[in-house]
Amino acid sequence: MASNPTKRITAAGTVALRTGADGQQEVLLVHRPRYRDWSLPKGKIMADEYLPGCAVRETREETAVTVELGVPLDPIGYPVDNGAKKVYYWRASAVKERRHAPDDEVDEVAWLPVALAMDVITYHDERPVLQQAMEMPTSTPLVVVRHAKAMLRANWSGRDQARPLDERGRRQSRLLVPLLEAYGVRKLASSTSVRCQKTLQPYAKAQRLEVDGWTTLSEEQAAKDAKAVSTLMRRLVKQTAADGVPTAICGHRPVLPLMLEAIGVPARSLQPGAAVVAHLGPDADVVAVEFHKPRI
């Protein structure tokens, strides 16, 4: 049987912004000698990677600039040899910069005023993405995670709240680290059940954070008092928006609809290790929503 020659390439990148010395907004561009072009930093996704993590990693590898993501922007699609490529973008803020060492892939990196960058960018389809980034409001990410894959109830004889992650779940929890890092998460909350706490533990350890446990978010307690879940979530949403501190909250499949509806996001089915990112405006309104599922 002949193989299908069509290939689909998925990539991710950023519109990284900073305020220049003269107060103007500047955007980060790269020059690629192979193509002789100026473009937004981007690159192909790795096998087990979440797209946001790819966007941050590729930006760092190409420019030596570490960024944190804001709202998602419109993707760009275009044909490549024997197939098609789709690039997903985020508005991003620079949080750390090092000197870029020129290489065969990127020989020059430049922060340019946005007006100048509009003229310098080689590809016309990247200009609307830059314009969109400039028009989007600032926001704070709130990441709601369904706990990673847990041991089956039938194979666990202890209390259900103590049921641990299985091998796949432990791997999913580790792969969540670059996803949460991409949004600059600095506060963690969770159901008190072990499978939820363990899902956030690798990130908590990497960032030296504590996970605030809430019995209210456990399956058992939520079944008794659904209103308390909604009240708690609305409080956490308001606090996240007011403080401007990116936050992640881990919960259970039966409780997630209550958690999402309290944020203002329609409930939907999420697989273990999946995440919903709600970008909150200053008044705790949701200005953008993303859904990311694990690739294992």
Side-chain angles (χ1 to χ4, degrees), residues 122-133:
T122 302
Y123 304 106
H124 293 287
D125 53 1
E126 288 190 349
R127 293 172 186 168
V129 179
L130 173 53
Q131 183 62 43
Q132 183 186 17

Side-chain angles (χ1 to χ4, degrees), residues 179-240:
L179 173 69
L180 299 180
E181 189 177 57
Y183 294 102
V185 167
R186 291 187 289 279
K187 189 172 183 179
L188 301 172
S190 169
S191 157
T192 48
S193 296
V194 167
R195 54 193 181 276
C196 286
Q197 297 270 322
K198 291 294 186 181
T199 295
L200 296 182
Q201 188 178 58
Y203 184 77
K205 182 177 180 180
Q207 298 293 325
R208 298 182 179 180
L209 298 173
E210 297 293 330
V211 181
D212 294 333
W214 293 92
T215 305
T216 302
L217 298 178
S218 69
E219 282 193 54
E220 296 78 6
Q221 191 61 32
K224 297 176 183 177
D225 193 350
K227 185 177 180 181
V229 175
S230 300
T231 300
L232 172 61
M233 287 300 300
R234 285 194 291 268
R235 185 165 58 129
L236 293 175
V237 166
K238 289 181 180 178
Q239 184 177 351
T240 299

